Amino acid sequence: GEQVEQRPPHLSVREGDSAVITCTYTDPNSYYFFWYKQEPGASLQLLMKVFSSTEINEGQGFTVLLNKKDKRLSLNLTAAHPGDSAAYFCAASSNTDKVVFGTGTRLQVSP
Amino acid sequence: DMKVTQMPRYLIKRMGENVLLECGQDMSHETMYWYRQDPGLGLQLIYISYDVDSNSEGDIPKGYRVSRKKREHFSLILDSAKTNQTSVYFCASSLDRAGAETLYFGSGTRLTVL
């Protein structure tokens, strides 16, 4: 079945720096990819959903890149601020009922 | 207001006691899930429910059972809790089976089994 590896497990950056989190997946049939954000003590909230037909998606202050050839998904926070401090989880699924999550990255942004 | 509600938020039990975790959603979602979250392991799927009385094992169902008698409620039951079931448990729901669907998560229940 699908396996999703996420790196790094912990990431500390200064405000204004960029922060990159990367996930690699194994199932070539995975078509839907997600990034979820979990603030301390809170539940997971969807940050962005991407489909394999698109390679670059931009949100507010971040970019998601999908490299289907290398089976790699990345989240790039372009100018991190303390409010971005949270745990981030990638997830992948094919057209079935199973979503496989990465192990998470705990991001700390210091002023 | 789209919401997944979990009760209780914190729970402490002794080994061997029974545990009931409750989850509700107000979005009429068909599919509901129970996950547990442990440090360094991400989220692991315990059970998935496709609708009332239509439940399926996830990746780590051993030691757990579920009940869904109404579409909006999904319960996780631990019969005779074990210390290795200490974890944070998340309930989630989605409009339809996963795949393209967004999962909506509850706030979690932190269970400690002594």
Side-chain angles (χ1 to χ4, degrees):
Chain A
E2 172 72 282
Q3 293 181 47
V4 178
E5 185 173 331
Q6 185 172 343
R7 289 283 184 267
H10 300 277
L11 183 57
S12 292
V13 301
R14 290 202 175 273
E15 186 172 7
D17 288 349
S18 65
V20 180
I21 303 169
T22 301
C23 292
T24 55
Y25 59 95
T26 58
D27 187 351
N29 295 319
S30 283
Y31 191 81
Y32 308 102
F33 303 90
F34 307 81
W35 283 102
Y36 285 88
K37 178 181 179 181
Q38 183 184 27
E39 295 184 356
S43 66
L44 285 80
Q45 305 246 335
L46 181 72
L47 195 61
M48 181 167 277
K49 178 165 63 175
V50 300
F51 302 106
S52 69
S53 59
T54 53
E55 293 184 341
I56 299 175
N57 283 264
E58 293 186 358
Q60 272 195 318
F62 61 89
T63 302
V64 171
L65 298 175
L66 174 63
N67 182 326
K68 290 173 280 185
K69 176 175 173 289
D70 293 341
K71 298 193 200 69
R72 181 177 292 124
L73 178 74
S74 65
L75 172 67
N76 185 348
L77 285 80
T78 46
H81 56 86
D84 292 328
S85 295
Y88 292 82
F89 293 88
C90 62
S93 74
S94 60
N95 207 12
T96 66
D97 54 15
K98 198 164 172 188
V99 179
V100 179
F101 284 85
T103 49
T105 295
R106 192 163 299 279
L107 173 66
Q108 182 68 40
V109 183
S110 54
Chain B
D1 192 22
M2 301 195 299
K3 205 168 182 181
V4 177
T5 305
Q6 284 186 243
M7 295 291 287
R9 289 295 308 273
Y10 301 92
L11 188 59
I12 300 175
K13 288 285 191 178
R14 293 195 179 279
M15 193 169 60
E17 292 185 327
N18 297 332
V19 178
L20 173 65
L21 304 183
E22 309 234 49
C23 176
Q25 50 98 359
D26 61 3
M27 297 169 277
S28 297
H29 283 174
E30 281 189 357
T31 311
M32 296 186 74
Y33 314 79
W34 277 106
Y35 287 90
R36 64 177 280 177
Q37 183 182 36
D38 299 294
L41 292 177
L43 283 90
Q44 297 175 276
L45 180 64
I46 305 171
Y47 266 94
I48 181 171
S49 173
Y50 301 112
D51 211 328
V52 171
D53 285 330
S54 179
N55 307 316
S56 181
E57 293 181 348
D59 296 321
I60 52 163
K62 190 177 177 183
Y64 304 95
R65 61 183 174 94
V66 291
S67 174
R68 191 162 179 207
K69 298 300 182 185
K70 292 183 180 180
R71 178 173 278 195
E72 60 269 24
H73 289 129
F74 190 32
S75 301
L76 180 70
I77 302 123
L78 288 67
D79 294 315
S80 187
K82 300 171 181 53
T83 55
N84 63 7
Q85 291 177 308
T86 292
S87 187
V88 180
Y89 291 86
F90 284 98
C91 174
S93 71
S94 63
L95 180 62
D96 200 340
R97 296 186 178 207
E101 297 294 335
T102 299
L103 269 62
Y104 294 84
F105 286 86
S107 300
T109 295
R110 185 173 293 274
L111 171 67
T112 302
V113 182
L114 302 173

